[in-house]
Amino acid sequence: MKNIRFTSCFLGLATLMVSCSEINESFSPAQEQISINGTLDGFSAMPLTRTQVGSMAEDGALLMEWSVGDQVGMFGGNTVNAPFTGNHTAPAAQTTFFGSIASGDVPQYAYYPYNEQAVNLQSIPVAIPTEQAYADVNSIAAYDVKATDVITDMGNGTYQLNMRQMVSLVRFEISLTGVDGLSTDEKLQRVELKTGAPVTGSYTYDLTNLDNGFTGSSDAQSTSLNLTFVNQPSLSEKVIAYAVAAPGTQGGKTWECTFLTDKHQVSFTTTALCDFEAGKYYIMPLSATVLENNQAVIEDVPAQVEEETANCYMINTTGEHSFLATVIGNGQKGIIPRVGFHTESAYISPKSAKLLWQDVEGFIDASSVRLGGDGRCYYVANQNVGNAVIAVYSGEDQTGDILWSWHIWGVGDEMPADEIYTNKIGDQFTVMDRTLGAHSKTSLYVTLYQWGRKDPFPNGSVYYVDGVVQEVETSFPIYVSQTGTIAETIQHPGEMQKYIDNTYGNWMAEANNYLWGDVNLTKPAWPDYLEDPIACAGWTDVKTIYDPSPVGYRVANKYTWTGLVKRSDGNTSGISGTTSRLDYINYVKYDNGYYFKKNDSDTEGTFYPQTGSRYGSTGTMWSAGQGSVLMRGGSSRYWSASPHDAGNTAEPYSSYMTIGSYTDVNGVTPWGAENKINVCDFTSSRRDACAVRCVREK
């Protein structure tokens, strides 16, 4: 039985409760498979890949349980970091873990959560984020850390692990009714703490000496701890919330405390009364009395429009530019709670920044990229045309983890304009006049995207890394993922991701239809199909933090392009004869791409270049049997934000527009798929990198 509890400590007084689990080993010396039986109290249905909170005891202790996908790491005399995975399909208080250790070996040390980088038992890595999010008690489970150096042989092949918690908790008890200057209809958004000693950052610990706790260099740690309230509770209610902190010296240290509502900022200083110990929680009350005793300052939130953020920033001038580097994507509004995003908080605390790549030599001055003290990333553009990616890191001098990255898009002398499309049922879309990442309004050079990711990839023959030209005509860096998670893509923004088990062509281990904010699985009725009223404008959810579009735009709805083809199914493939298909395409002319009619009376057209696409398994540009000939200039695929229901939930496809090669009455093309256009195709693998056309948010 493993009962994992955080027990209360107030004013430095508490009792530590130790957790334990059992390992059952049944194998002959020649066998290597062992199973671990783990038990926990409590239950919760929230799907996480970390242990999770089952319930709360009367004294505030949190009872933990195993979550689906949980793994523990095991060390033995001849075993190094062997992963053991639970076989449960729902959160469980008791489960069995399976894995392998060296033949004849016995387990000596174990830790949680499993980390494939933990190859040295005396240096197990731990990351406690400065930016944390709180929706309910389950939220803290994302930061749970525990380990054991006590494994008891119980006989009959049975071992018992006495696990111990390695982190501390801060428990906020917020009751602010009756505070002069605050109203009960205000929404609590965020708490920011500046402590007297490090409480977050990157640490390691020694499995052979757990009493020594966490260690690490100070430049990888932070004295800041910030908690964002996902649900923004009202001040009319008492709010209980938890944040995870690193154990350490805090007694007597001065803390600077700030909490923000949608109307006010409240600040005060206080003194911590005790040090932080692992396995305990520490109460921080926020009440009228506390604010009065600590001479809190209440200020109105400045009456100004909050800066809009995105994953792509457009520039059309040279010189120095900057963007806010402490907010990811389009901010907190871009997080859909509890749908499997890698975080519930849109805030990060980077320490440094770096230019990762650019597709035009010298577009961005790499030496100019820096992180300012105001939380902004500054850079100098030497030209106003090109694409680049800038990343920020958790450590100084581009060390530690990549926390996020942004696409800088040099659009030329003029900013993109908007165009109005009318689709087959008469709905209108306001669409950008060029493809995302285009070097100009009519350029073939753009950026490509794996479905659901924010990260751009060039479609040209070369790009530049650290000032060195890289040949990418036949390949592009691929990160082969063993676990297939969103979090991994954040760490590898300069690489396409391929899950090791790529049966259905997804870059994720488990499909997530929410990544670009539209889970519309509607299927228009036959025979009218795209003339069905459900083929309408709009998305089911918000623009998300993973959307690659600039401020004010988002990835297109799957019915954006239904007016571009004169057939109810939006598909010219069924027409016999390559040139006769042109009669069913609403276009003005063709020139390395179609100038599609935006509506029936359009005489100019809107240009869709033949951008090509990258094959998700290898990173190569599609060549259609033409050797190294790029499909750029020959065909294109444009993602929509919408998934496709293939009738099998294991098959993660998404809707997109396909544009085949062009053949007029006087010529023959070697590309195949001549004049075949499908404005609402459903069969593309999400791991492939395709073009994106941005549509104005509603």
Side-chain angles (χ1 to χ4, degrees):
M1 173 68 69
K2 178 165 65 172
N3 299 312
I4 299 176
R5 296 165 62 94
F6 282 104
T7 59
S8 174
C9 174
F10 191 43
L11 301 179
L13 301 175
T15 301
L16 177 65
M17 299 297 292
V18 180
S19 61
C20 65
S21 65
E22 295 182 349
I23 292 183
N24 291 336
E25 184 177 23
S26 302
F27 64 105
S28 67
Q31 294 176 314
E32 298 181 350
Q33 294 291 321
I34 69 172
S35 63
I36 301 173
N37 290 334
T39 59
L40 287 163
D41 290 338
F43 181 83
S44 173
M46 182 178 179
L48 297 168
T49 54
R50 304 289 295 268
T51 54
Q52 55 196 67
V53 177
S55 61
M56 185 186 299
E58 291 184 0
D59 64 353
L62 302 180
L63 308 179
M64 308 295 288
E65 66 179 3
W66 294 116
S67 181
V68 175
D70 268 344
Q71 287 186 314
V72 296
M74 187 71 64
F75 286 84
N78 297 307
T79 300
V80 177
N81 197 29
F84 284 75
T85 305
N87 69 345
H88 48 295
T89 58
Q94 182 171 348
T95 191
T96 300
F97 290 78
F98 291 95
S100 301
I101 62 174
S103 296
D105 206 355
V106 295
Q108 296 178 341
Y109 305 97
Y111 73 96
Y112 174 86
Y114 175 74
N115 184 338
E116 63 181 4
Q117 305 300 321
V119 295
N120 182 353
L121 62 80
Q122 294 181 311
S123 184
I124 304 297
V126 173
I128 300 179
T130 299
E131 296 292 340
Q132 298 178 28
Y134 189 84
D136 55 32
V137 289
N138 293 293
S139 302
I140 67 148
Y143 319 117
D144 188 22
V145 179
K146 49 185 172 282
T148 183
D149 57 1
V150 179
I151 301 180
T152 306
D153 186 348
M154 306 300 291
N156 299 320
T158 300
Y159 294 84
Q160 177 173 293
L161 272 68
N162 294 302
M163 300 287 283
R164 56 195 282 185
Q165 282 291 344
M166 300 297 293
V167 294
S168 305
L169 291 183
V170 177
R171 173 183 162 105
F172 297 96
E173 296 185 354
I174 304 171
S175 182
L176 296 172
T177 55
V179 176
D180 290 339
L182 300 179
S183 57
T184 56
D185 64 343
E186 296 185 40
K187 302 295 184 181
L188 184 61
Q189 296 179 332
R190 187 168 162 84
V191 174
E192 299 177 350
L193 301 179
K194 188 74 172 180
T195 63
V199 286
T200 60
S202 298
Y203 300 84
T204 62
Y205 64 92
D206 184 353
L207 277 174
T208 68
N209 186 9
L210 294 178
D211 289 338
N212 198 38
F214 292 165
T215 60
S217 58
S218 59
D219 60 355
Q221 297 161 10
S222 174
T223 57
S224 294
L225 173 58
N226 304 321
L227 189 67
T228 299
F229 292 88
V230 174
N231 300 322
Q232 296 195 5
S234 168
L235 295 190
S236 63
E237 57 187 294
K238 183 176 182 179
V239 178
I240 303 295
Y242 291 87
V244 176
T249 301
Q250 291 292 344
K253 302 289 186 181
T254 298
W255 282 27
E256 299 175 10
C257 309
T258 301
F259 68 87
L260 298 101
T261 74
D262 56 341
K263 297 180 180 179
H264 292 97
Q265 173 178 298
V266 182
S267 305
F268 62 93
T269 59
T270 189
T271 301
L273 300 180
C274 57
D275 295 337
F276 280 13
E277 296 182 36
K280 302 179 182 180
Y281 75 74
Y282 299 82
I283 296 174
M284 182 170 188
L286 292 174
S287 64
T289 301
V290 170
L291 299 186
E292 181 180 356
N293 290 344
N294 289 280
Q295 300 178 330
V297 176
I298 301 177
E299 301 174 287
D300 291 338
V301 174
Q304 60 184 26
V305 177
E306 183 179 354
E307 180 176 352
E308 289 292 320
T309 59
N311 289 315
C312 173
Y313 292 104
M314 300 182 289
I315 62 170
N316 65 346
T317 61
T318 59
E320 186 172 69
H321 300 268
S322 71
F323 58 87
L324 188 61
T326 57
V327 177
I328 64 175
N330 58 324
Q332 197 64 38
K333 63 185 178 182
I335 294 177
I336 306 174
R338 297 189 179 181
V339 296
F341 284 13
H342 81 288
T343 182
E344 294 285 332
S345 173
Y347 298 95
I348 56 174
S349 299
K351 297 288 186 62
S352 58
K354 179 183 179 181
L355 175 69
L356 296 186
W357 65 263
Q358 53 191 327
D359 65 356
V360 172
E361 186 175 13
F363 167 47
I364 301 296
D365 179 358
S367 64
S368 72
V369 178
R370 63 183 177 87
L371 197 64
D374 56 358
R376 303 187 69 82
C377 180
Y378 292 84
Y379 63 94
V380 172
N382 295 321
Q383 305 174 49
N384 68 353
V385 173
N387 294 283
V389 172
I390 293 176
V392 294
Y393 294 77
S394 62
E396 303 286 350
D397 301 321
Q398 299 86 47
T399 61
D401 296 329
I402 291 180
L403 299 180
W404 203 252
S405 58
W406 290 266
H407 171 202
I408 307 302
W409 178 15
V411 299
D413 294 335
E414 295 183 358
M415 285 293 185
D418 289 341
E419 300 174 324
I420 305 297
Y421 293 13
T422 301
N423 78 352
K424 200 169 291 293
I425 66 167
D427 275 9
Q428 291 189 326
F429 300 78
T430 304
V431 187
M432 188 179 287
D433 68 355
R434 65 198 67 186
T435 302
L436 184 54
H439 286 187
S440 70
K441 187 175 179 179
T442 58
S443 176
L444 292 178
Y445 292 96
V446 302
T447 46
L448 306 176
Y449 300 82
Q450 291 182 295
W451 190 89
R453 291 187 64 183
K454 64 180 176 62
D455 307 302
F457 308 115
N459 76 334
S461 301
V462 299
Y463 75 143
Y464 301 85
V465 178
D466 295 329
V468 179
V469 63
Q470 306 287 325
E471 297 288 339
V472 295
E473 184 172 82
T474 57
S475 65
F476 191 81
I478 296 289
Y479 173 70
V480 180
S481 168
Q482 302 294 317
T483 56
T485 65
I486 307 170
E488 287 176 313
T489 69
I490 308 304
Q491 290 290 300
H492 299 272
E495 301 169 84
M496 294 176 65
Q497 179 159 313
K498 180 179 71 172
Y499 178 47
I500 191 66
D501 179 7
N502 233 213
T503 305
Y504 295 106
N506 194 11
W507 56 266
M508 294 187 71
E510 183 176 349
N512 188 326
N513 289 339
Y514 286 91
L515 297 184
W516 278 349
D518 190 12
V519 293
N520 185 358
L521 293 173
T522 59
K523 292 182 178 180
W526 293 93
D528 295 332
Y529 197 49
L530 297 179
E531 295 171 359
D532 188 309
I534 68 172
C536 57
W539 302 264
T540 62
D541 290 278
V542 298
K543 174 185 177 181
T544 73
I545 56 171
Y546 306 115
D547 191 299
S549 308
V551 169
Y553 294 90
R554 61 184 300 180
V555 178
N557 166 280
K558 67 180 176 181
Y559 299 125
T560 302
W561 306 291
T562 64
L564 306 186
V565 168
K566 305 172 187 178
R567 286 172 60 83
S568 64
D569 64 354
N571 189 356
T572 65
S573 300
I575 307 300
S576 62
T578 60
T579 57
S580 61
R581 294 175 186 142
L582 295 174
D583 295 335
Y584 292 87
I585 301 172
N586 282 328
Y587 76 110
V588 176
K589 63 179 180 178
Y590 182 93
D591 184 7
N592 287 319
Y594 284 92
Y595 283 76
F596 289 113
K597 290 185 177 182
K598 301 181 287 292
N599 53 64
D600 290 340
S601 61
D602 185 12
T603 59
E604 296 183 0
T606 181
F607 184 63
Y608 275 72
Q610 300 286 40
T611 64
S613 53
R614 290 196 178 278
Y615 183 36
S617 183
T618 63
T620 58
M621 293 291 288
W622 288 99
S623 60
Q626 301 300 310
S628 61
V629 178
L630 295 183
M631 286 291 281
R632 185 183 63 249
S635 71
S636 56
R637 293 184 289 173
Y638 285 80
W639 282 124
S640 82
S642 316
H644 170 60
D645 181 4
N648 181 348
T649 56
E651 299 182 22
Y653 296 126
S654 294
S655 300
Y656 69 125
M657 176 170 65
T658 59
I659 305 175
S661 59
Y662 172 80
T663 302
D664 63 20
V665 294
N666 299 311
V668 177
T669 176
W671 296 99
E674 297 93 338
N675 305 329
K676 292 181 180 179
I677 295 178
N678 190 339
V679 298
C680 204
D681 204 344
F682 300 127
T683 56
S684 184
S685 299
R686 293 182 177 182
R687 69 186 179 191
D688 297 337
C690 305
V692 164
R693 197 70 165 231
C694 303
V695 177
R696 278 285 179 187
E697 295 185 71
K698 291 289 184 180

